[in-house]
Amino acid sequence: MSKSIKHIFKETGSYKVNGSLWIDFGENHFFGPGRAELLERIDQTGSINQAAKQMSMSYKKAWEMITMLNTQARRPLVILHVGGERGGGSKITKEAKELIAFHRLLRERFTAFLEKETRNLEEL
Amino acid sequence: MSKSIKHIFKETGSYKVNGSLWIDFGENHFFGPGRAELLERIDQTGSINQAAKQMSMSYKKAWEMITMLNTQARRPLVILHVGGERGGGSKITKEAKELIAFHRLLRERFTAFLEKETRNLEEL
DNA sequence: AACCGTTATATATTGTAAAATATAACGATA
DNA sequence: TATCGTTATATTTTACAATATATAACGGTT
């Protein structure tokens, strides 16, 4: 039987339940919002470089994230091309798109959870 | 219609949905696992100092957390005593205990959410 | 073979959060 | 009034992650 904790708060509506969510592989980060956005931007631009710039992220960091992703997944999520026309570029795989779609639904469920718990803060 | 993403993973059972959860007050952190544990240890020891030592946390950081808590809550969650017998000490209020209890139940629901989503990673 | 924009990688620099250190104030007790 | 362990607070130092910088390799195109 949990009671209301409204009386602990200063003003009603100012408090909210918040959180972050990701997928671990063993002890390491595997996938989360940052990597999802990076994959999406690589998909749009065809370039790790441009994707990183859009996110105000250093190329090095983006490259490391991609390397980790490709290492931790069964098969590569990003195919990297060095040299060639336009200097090269990168493409995300079908698996990457599936993972992004799954992740989007997971986030929606998480958002719903947070909203429900925020409502629960001031009720009961 | 979400399909399984099992085929993206290297080994089954190695991936899990993980996350962190807290309560915001406006733009600022208000309450989370760290502050909950700190309050509990202050309750047990009667001292911010000892509680901080138990958590391998600097006294300064613990004191700042307590100050934020007391500022952000309607009424103080910790009563601080300077000087006197045993040099002083601190006690948590009834409201603090209520908040700890509420937080415990919130964590349990969050843990259940994470476990459900982890199961969902490899099914469907 | 020169060019281009990309990927690949090492090294150096910086920014900032955490920790360490130091010191004072406090007030009941003896 | 001396003691004690706590709270209170400023300053210094350290650690480390993030960033910046630099350079090379690559391979289609022209």
Side-chain angles (χ1 to χ4, degrees), chain B residues 11-26:
Chain B
E11 314 140 14
T12 178
S14 300
Y15 299 82
K16 71 166 73 166
V17 178
N18 212 337
S20 60
L21 196 74
W22 63 88
I23 300 174
D24 277 340
F25 171 59

Side-chain angles (χ1 to χ4, degrees), chain A residues 9-29:
Chain A
F9 298 153
K10 268 187 166 155
E11 314 139 14
T12 176
S14 300
Y15 299 82
K16 72 166 73 165
V17 178
N18 212 336
S20 60
L21 196 75
W22 63 89
I23 299 173
D24 278 339
F25 171 59
E27 297 301 304
N28 306 312
H29 251 37

Side-chain angles (χ1 to χ4, degrees), chain A residues 70-87:
Chain A
N70 282 346
T71 301
Q72 293 170 339
R74 192 178 202 294
R75 296 166 54 191
L77 299 181
V78 182
I79 305 295
L80 307 150
H81 290 286
V82 182
E85 60 180 343
R86 298 183 39 245

Side-chain angles (χ1 to χ4, degrees), chain B residues 2 24 26 34 47 52 66 92 94 100 103 117:
Chain B
S2 75
D24 277 340
S47 156
I66 298 303
I92 74 175
K94 180 169 162 293
I100 289 170
H103 181 257
E117 290 295 346

Side-chain angles (χ1 to χ4, degrees), chain B residues 70 75-79 91-98:
Chain B
N70 282 347
R75 295 166 55 189
L77 299 180
V78 182
I79 304 295
K91 284 192 63 174
I92 74 175
T93 65
K94 180 169 162 293
E95 283 91 341
K97 290 179 184 175
E98 289 172 13

Side-chain angles (χ1 to χ4, degrees), chain B residues 2-62:
Chain B
S2 75
K3 295 188 317 182
S4 169
I5 55 167
K6 279 200 316 195
H7 63 288
I8 294 176
F9 298 153
K10 269 186 164 157
E11 314 140 14
T12 178
S14 300
Y15 299 82
K16 71 166 73 166
V17 178
N18 212 337
S20 60
L21 196 74
W22 63 88
I23 300 174
D24 277 340
F25 171 59
E27 296 300 304
N28 306 311
H29 253 39
F30 172 61
F31 204 71
R35 290 178 183 191
E37 182 180 353
L38 183 59
L39 288 188
E40 283 170 347
R41 292 187 187 274
I42 290 172
D43 191 32
Q44 290 161 10
T45 63
S47 156
I48 295 179
N49 216 355
Q50 289 182 47
K53 283 201 178 79
Q54 286 184 359
M55 295 175 71
S56 300
M57 177 189 298
S58 69
Y59 168 81
K60 179 184 177 177
K61 184 173 177 183

